[in-house]
Amino acid sequence: MKINCELMKTKLQLHEYIAKELEFPDYYGKNLDALYDILTERSKETLIEFENFNSLRDTFGPYADAFLDTVMDASEENVLISVKVNL
């Protein structure tokens, strides 16, 4: 799954996009704690690829790095999750 970070304009949009693309359940809380929980419980192999990540930093500031840290931490916990970041 690729996320073109240039297209993400709000945090909610970012969470809704990843939820739709990865088919998260309806109860997904659209926050970093919920993201970590869902990803660490995921039972199918998943590649999350961030394209133009620096534009996410420009838009969201420190939240962009917190979002990436959450995804990376989940990938360390769940071997089925892989992450690729293109700046």
Side-chain angles (χ1 to χ4, degrees), residues 10-21 28 30:
T10 67
K11 294 173 189 174
L12 180 61
Q13 180 186 24
L14 176 60
H15 281 279
E16 287 178 344
Y17 181 82
I18 198 168
K20 179 182 175 202
E21 292 298 311
Y28 172 59
K30 298 176 185 148

Side-chain angles (χ1 to χ4, degrees), residues 52-64:
N52 307 304
F53 187 78
N54 280 336
S55 68
L56 201 68
R57 284 184 173 131
D58 293 342
T59 302
F60 300 133
Y63 188 83

Side-chain angles (χ1 to χ4, degrees), residues 21-55:
E21 292 298 311
L22 296 181
E23 301 174 343
F24 288 173
D26 291 338
Y27 62 82
Y28 172 59
K30 298 176 185 148
N31 61 59
L32 298 179
D33 289 335
L35 178 62
Y36 179 83
D37 291 343
I38 288 280
L39 290 176
T40 56
E41 295 170 2
R42 192 158 178 88
S43 60
K44 92 166 116 164
E45 200 168 320
T46 304
L47 170 63
I48 301 171
E49 186 172 354
F50 293 94
E51 303 242 333
N52 307 304
F53 187 78
N54 280 336
S55 68

